[in-house]
């Protein structure tokens, strides 16, 4: 995947580029100076939808024929309209391992949920890994169909990833689990006998009160 960029004039406000269909960005990496850029908003969104933060993108700056292999390291969004307002591109070296977070994709259906009414708890949204840039997976699948009984769990050590990828999270970290549904307290309705007894007790109390009242008046 390729993405074209232009050099950004830092004297101009970022709003200038946003109004003209560009998203301000910065390119940085180990051993290089920061480069202020802007990328076409539509083209960036197309690339980002496919590449995410884990696939390598070749960044082409203006007329420079040199391709800069980068990861879309971070995207900032407007707090109201949720449109991208700034992008961090991290230039990588294909021969050097990097650490990054890979999103988790939950797949399948848990028999414990379907058959026993359990509740599926997803504890992890992304997992930190270390690998060469070209070996980074787009996501890490978690098959919840393996959760067959209540209290069954999937741990980090149960995940299947390439031997070229090292997971940095603790092996016993719980990724997903099925727990028993909470039992709601059921308040039983009073029986006819209980209602009858209560009614008779109140009647007796009323009669006694009336009797005491008559005695006082005499």
């Amino acid at each position: 995947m390729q993405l074209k960029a232009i050099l950004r004039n830092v004297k101009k406000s970022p709003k200038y580029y946003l109004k003209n269909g560009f998203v301000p960005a910065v390119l940085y990496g180990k051993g290089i100076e920061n480069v202020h850029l802007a990328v076409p908003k539509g083209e960036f969104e197309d690339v980002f939808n496919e590449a995410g933060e884990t696939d390598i993108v070749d960044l082409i700056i203006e007329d420079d024929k040199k391709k800069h292999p980068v990861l879309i390291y971070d995207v900032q969004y407007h707090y109201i309209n949720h449109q991208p307002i700034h992008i961090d591109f991290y230039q990588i070296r294909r021969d050097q391992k990097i650490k990054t977070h890979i999103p988790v994709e939950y797949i399948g259906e848990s028999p414990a949920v379907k058959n026993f009414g359990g509740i599926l708890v997803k504890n992890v949204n992304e997992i930190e890994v270390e690998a060469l840039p070209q070996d980074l997976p787009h996501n890490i699948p978690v098959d919840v169909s393996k959760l067959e009984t209540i209290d069954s769990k999937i741990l980090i050590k149960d995940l299947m990833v390439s031997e070229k990828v090292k997971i940095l999270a603790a092996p016993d970290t719980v990724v997903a689990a099925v727990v028993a549904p909470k039992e709601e307290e059921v308040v039983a309705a009073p029986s006819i006998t209980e209602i009858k007894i209560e009614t008779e007790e109140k009647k007796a109390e009323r009669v006694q009160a009336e009797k005491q009242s008559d005695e006082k008046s005499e």
Side-chain angles (χ1 to χ4, degrees), residues 114-172:
K114 181 179 179 180
N115 300 327
F116 306 112
I119 298 174
L120 177 63
V121 179
K122 302 175 182 178
N123 290 324
V124 177
N125 293 322
E126 57 182 18
I127 298 172
E128 187 178 16
V129 304
E130 182 180 41
L132 292 172
Q134 59 270 23
D135 294 330
L136 290 173
H138 190 69
N139 55 53
I140 297 178
V142 177
D143 186 2
V144 299
S145 65
K146 298 178 181 179
L147 299 173
E148 299 180 351
T149 59
I150 300 295
D151 295 331
S152 55
K153 302 174 183 178
I154 296 177
L155 309 179
I156 286 289
K157 61 185 179 183
D158 299 324
L159 301 179
M160 301 295 292
V161 296
S162 167
E163 295 179 354
K164 299 178 181 180
V165 178
K166 180 181 179 182
I167 295 181
L168 300 179
D172 291 330

Side-chain angles (χ1 to χ4, degrees), residues 1-2 44-58 70-72 102-103 136-139:
M1 287 172 286
Q2 295 184 355
F44 166 74
E45 290 178 334
D46 290 340
V47 170
F48 187 50
N49 286 337
E50 185 174 350
E53 296 181 355
T54 58
D55 289 356
I56 298 173
V57 177
D58 287 329
V70 301
L71 293 177
I72 302 172
I102 305 297
L136 290 173
H138 190 69
N139 55 53

Side-chain angles (χ1 to χ4, degrees), residues 36 39 48 86 109 116 134 164 177-178 183 186 201:
H36 297 280
V39 297
F48 187 50
H86 191 272
E109 183 179 13
F116 306 112
Q134 59 270 23
K164 299 178 181 180
V178 174
E183 295 184 2
V186 179
E201 288 177 349

Side-chain angles (χ1 to χ4, degrees), residues 2 7 21 33 56 75 77 90 117 119 131 150 152 178 180 188 207 210:
Q2 295 184 355
L7 293 171
E33 294 183 0
I56 298 173
V75 182
Y77 295 92
Y90 181 75
I119 298 174
I150 300 295
S152 55
V178 174
V207 171
E210 291 174 353

Side-chain angles (χ1 to χ4, degrees), residues 11-115:
K11 293 182 180 180
K12 292 185 177 181
S13 168
K15 291 183 180 179
Y16 167 83
Y17 290 95
L18 291 170
K19 288 181 179 179
N20 287 276
F22 287 84
V23 183
V26 63
L27 170 65
Y28 60 92
K30 188 175 182 180
I32 67 170
E33 294 183 0
N34 291 4
V35 182
H36 297 280
L37 306 170
V39 297
K41 179 176 177 292
E43 294 180 19
F44 166 74
E45 290 178 334
D46 290 340
V47 170
F48 187 50
N49 286 337
E50 185 174 350
E53 296 181 355
T54 58
D55 289 356
I56 298 173
V57 177
D58 287 329
L59 195 64
I60 303 174
I61 303 174
E62 292 192 345
D63 297 329
D64 186 1
K65 294 182 180 180
K66 181 181 178 181
K67 297 178 180 179
H68 300 267
V70 301
L71 293 177
I72 302 172
Y73 194 76
D74 185 51
V75 182
Q76 298 177 25
Y77 295 92
H78 192 277
Y79 70 98
I80 294 179
N81 59 27
H82 304 292
Q83 296 298 308
I85 58 174
H86 191 272
I87 308 159
D88 286 5
F89 293 109
Y90 181 75
Q91 183 166 311
I92 53 90
R93 288 183 52 178
R94 296 179 183 273
D95 60 344
Q96 288 186 348
K97 292 184 178 182
I98 62 172
K99 296 179 181 179
T100 189
H101 289 81
I102 305 297
V104 167
E105 180 184 10
Y106 291 94
I107 59 175
E109 183 179 13
S110 167
V113 173
K114 181 179 179 180
N115 300 327

